[in-house]
Every structure is written in structure tokens, then in C-alpha cells.
């Protein structure tokens, strides 16, 4: 299972979708799971809102299949009650009177238990031939600031419920989440706040015994040399002469603002290099994904998938 998290605005849903496509190779089946109820996956793949069922939404670059599931906590709780307590029609009655919504509201941790449990069930599920139903499960998870608590909630539940099906289910989920079968990938940008949140997230995940996968730096612009332009009147006069020689009008008026922009650009690139050094010092592999000039459409999603396909997962 590949859990994809990241600070808001870093494009974690886009990266999760591209990773699911990348893992769908040569007949492989991948399940892309959404847990936040935003229907971001449906928007990316330009399809209708996802129901609470596993539905094929794409073919990977290598010919495999991508299925998607938007997990609904109420439906997941009904599944849970049926699986362990065989409530049948009584479970549907609980939903009609609002008991399920009440339970997930007064016990917020229960919602996370249901979401992680449903994803881990897909990881463990076997098909009619005895093989795994899916070769990989990719979860578009909550943001970095909440990911450790989200994934670790079953550990707390297993401690509270010492016996019974709830205890055993929570233990089974934690076995998946803390095993070598799982990797938590963090999406970031070359900016101060996302990099700091990524560093905090890596530290928290490690402290909780959860497996850190890769750091994915998203929306990286084309590499440019970070040379600082010459400043002062000498630099302005030199640039003005060059602009005049190129035939630009008002060359002297243009020189100063152009030099200011050049200095700002050089400073920004220097800061990005420091952010890269900070990420490299965290330990996990760091991979960069380019900024898509035309935005994220289906073609751009497949372009990112092809880049991710060449990495070691």
C-alpha cells in the first residue's frame, strides 16, 4: 500500500493519481482510494462522482487497470457491523435514524478507523484464484499535519478494546500499516512551509513506527543558472547598452527593473537549492516532478505517471 500525504496545495491528489497509473503496468491492477470526500479523483480523471464501490477509471501506461474507490464512512461502518455482528437490516435501520452519523461525529477517531480499515481490507483481499485482488493500493490520504494520527488511530483503538472483533480488526490494520508492504510518501514543494511540514512529518512517522517511503517534490520549474546579475549603476549601464543594441526603445528605463527581477530570481533559486539540501538531509529518497505548464489534465497526469513509472517503488 502506498499512502500519499502532503501539505495542502502541494498537489498530493495529483501525485497519488499519477502513482496509481504508474503502478498499473503490464496487466497489474491498482486501486486508488480517496478518504477525504472531496471527489478529487473523479475531477482529475474527468469522470462522474465516485460511488461507494470499486470502479475502473483508467488504463495505466503499461496496460494495467486503475480502479478507484471513494470511501464513505457510513457505508464502511455498515460493512463493519455486518462483517462482525451480522446486523443485516438492523444496520440499515441505524442509518435511517441517524445513529451512524451520530457515532462518527461524537467519536472522530472511529471515522479514521473505518477509512484505514477499508483500505487495508483491499490490500489483504484475495481473488477467486487465491492471488491478491490488487497488486497495489494507493491512498490519497489526509494532509501531512494529520497523517501520523490518522494512520496510528488503530493502535489506540486496539489498546482501548482489549478483546473482541474491534481489537482484532485494529491489530490487523496496524500489521498492514507498519509492515514492509506499506510506504508513506510525502508530497512537498521547494518552499519553506511545505519543506518544514515534510520534515516534521518524517520525524513523526518514524517516531510512530510507520514506514516512510519517498519525498516527492512537486511542481518543480525548469532548471536555470542562479547567477546573480551585476548590480549598481555599472550593471544598469551595461544592460541598457545591450538592450539598446538589440533595438529596444527606452533601454535605460527598462534596465533597472529588469536587473531587480533578475536578482529576485537568483535569490529564489538559491533558496530552492537550500530547500533541496534540507530534504536530502531527511533520509528518504527524494524525487522531483515537473511543473506542468498547461495545468493538470489527463495528458499531464499520464506524463507524470510515465516519470513515476521509472522510479523504484
Amino acid at each position: 500500500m502506498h499512502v500519499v500525504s502532503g501539505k495542502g496545495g502541494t498537489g498530493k491528489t495529483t501525485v497519488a493519481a499519477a502513482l496509481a497509473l504508474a503502478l498499473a503496468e503490464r496487466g497489474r491492477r491498482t486501486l486508488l482510494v480517496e478518504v477525504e470526500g472531496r471527489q478529487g479523483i473523479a475531477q482529475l480523471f474527468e469522470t462522474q462522482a465516485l460511488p461507494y464501490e470499486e470502479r475502473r477509471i483508467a488504463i495505466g501506461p503499461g496496460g494495467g487497470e486503475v480502479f478507484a474507490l471513494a470511501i464513505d464512512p457510513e457505508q464502511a461502518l455498515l460493512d463493519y457491523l455486518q462483517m462482525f455482528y451480522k446486523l443485516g437490516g438492523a444496520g440499515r435501520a441505524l442509518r435511517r435514524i441517524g445513529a451512524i452519523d451520530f457515532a462518527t461525529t461524537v467519536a472522530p477517531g472511529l471515522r479514521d478507523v473505518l477509512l484505514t480499515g477499508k483500505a487495508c481490507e483491499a490490500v489483504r483481499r484475495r481473488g477467486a484464484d487465491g492471488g491478491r485482488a490488487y497488486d497495489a493500493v494507493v491512498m490519497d490520504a489526509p494532509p501531512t499535519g494529520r497523517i501520523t494520527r490518522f494512520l496510528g488511530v488503530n493502535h489506540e483503538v486496539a489498546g482501548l478494546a482489549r478483546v473482541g472483533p474491534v481489537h482484532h480488526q485494529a491489530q490487523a490494520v496496524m500489521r498492514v500499516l507498519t509492515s514492509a508492504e506499506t510506504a508513506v510518501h510525502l508530497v512537498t514543494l521547494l518552499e519553506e512551509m511545505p519543506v518544514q511540514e515534510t520534515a516534521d512529518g518524517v520525524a513523526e512517522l518514524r517516531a510512530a513506527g510507520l514506514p516512510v517511503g519517498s519525498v516527492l517534490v512537486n511542481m518543480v520549474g525548469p532548471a536555470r543558472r542562479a547567477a546573480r546579475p551585476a548590480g549598481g549603476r555599472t550593471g544598469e549601464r551595461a544592460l541598457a547598452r545591450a538592450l539598446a543594441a538589440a533595438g529596444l526603445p527606452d533601454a535605460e528605463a527598462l534596465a533597472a527593473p529588469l536587473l531587480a527581477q533578475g536578482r529576485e530570481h537568483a535569490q529564489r533559486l538559491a533558496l530552492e537549492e537550500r530547500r533541496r539540501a534540507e530534504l536530502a538531509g531527511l533520509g528518504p529518497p527524494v524525487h522531483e516532478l515537473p511543473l506542468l505548464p498547461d495545468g493538470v489534465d489527463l495528458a499531464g497526469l499520464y506524463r507524470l505517471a510515465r516519470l513515476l513509472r521509472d522510479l523504484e517503488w
Side-chain angles (χ1 to χ4, degrees), residues 56-74:
R56 192 177 77 171
I57 59 169
I59 302 295
E65 298 175 303
V66 177
F67 291 76
L69 170 66
I71 302 178
D72 177 82
E74 286 193 357

Side-chain angles (χ1 to χ4, degrees), residues 2 4 12-14 16-17 31-45 48-54 57 67-73 76 111 114-116 118-119 137-142 150:
H2 299 268
V4 181
K12 70 177 179 66
T13 299
T14 298
L31 177 65
L32 178 58
V33 175
E34 182 175 78
V35 298
E36 294 186 282
R38 295 184 295 106
Q39 289 292 337
I41 292 172
Q43 294 174 31
L44 279 172
F45 286 96
Q48 295 179 342
L50 297 174
Y52 182 66
E53 63 181 37
E54 293 161 22
I57 59 169
F67 291 76
L69 170 66
I71 302 178
D72 177 82
R111 179 186 180 91
L114 296 168
L115 296 172
T116 54
K118 188 67 178 177
V137 175
V138 179
M139 180 195 292
D140 178 19
F150 172 77

Side-chain angles (χ1 to χ4, degrees), residues 135-156:
D135 297 290
V137 175
V138 179
M139 180 195 292
D140 178 19
T144 313
R146 202 167 77 81
I147 188 62
T148 301
R149 181 165 180 78
F150 172 77
L151 295 176
V153 67
N154 284 277
H155 179 72
E156 298 177 15

Side-chain angles (χ1 to χ4, degrees), residues 76 97 108 119 145 158 167 277:
I97 65 175
H167 173 80

